[in-house]
Amino acid sequence: MTSRVLAIVERHPGDGGGIFADPVDFCVGLRTGLGAVDMVLCGPAVMCALGLSPSGDGSGALLDSARRVRTLLRTGSRVWVDRDDLAASGHTDDALLDGVVTADIAELATSWHEYDKVWFL
């Protein structure tokens, strides 16, 4: 049976976290195991939708996360970034990977009932 999961990712892969060091990679695994995972990137995690390292050179763990975001998009997952957090990072919608959409996380919360599970990572 397929579960629909919404993953709210609040940290980027450089934040540590042991086996869950890259929450975006974890979402790719969920997609493989559960069949349907959508993702909201907020806080520092919005950088994962840009493909930039913290230094802005496009290398390292954030670039790997951007590849994983593309994988999720290719397999039918929906990916949003929180509009306010994106603006706070100094970036605009134009910098996002193709297929990633900005949204107000408070507005998205009204649709959480459509999911079987909502996980905060």
Side-chain angles (χ1 to χ4, degrees):
M1 182 172 141
T2 300
S3 288
R4 291 196 63 218
V5 175
L6 178 64
I8 312 295
V9 179
E10 300 177 298
R11 60 184 181 80
H12 63 74
D15 287 346
I19 63 168
F20 301 117
D22 185 345
V24 177
D25 187 40
F26 181 68
C27 289
V28 171
L30 285 176
R31 172 94 172 108
T32 301
L34 297 176
V37 176
D38 293 337
M39 183 171 56
V40 179
L41 299 168
C42 53
V46 300
M47 298 298 288
C48 297
L50 303 174
L52 301 173
S53 69
S55 64
D57 65 4
S59 63
L62 285 172
L63 184 54
D64 289 340
S65 286
R67 286 187 194 119
R68 291 179 182 105
V69 167
R70 286 187 190 100
T71 297
L72 286 170
L73 290 166
R74 273 194 313 273
T75 59
S77 293
R78 295 179 292 177
V79 179
W80 298 273
V81 297
D82 182 72
R83 185 176 296 116
D84 291 339
D85 292 340
L86 181 65
S89 75
H91 297 282
T92 65
D93 300 27
D94 295 338
L96 293 173
L97 299 171
D98 288 340
V100 176
V101 178
T102 59
D104 181 323
I105 197 167
E107 290 176 20
L108 279 178
T110 64
S111 67
W112 289 0
H113 68 279
E114 298 172 11
Y115 291 90
D116 298 315
K117 298 172 178 74
V118 177
W119 292 347
F120 290 83
L121 305 173

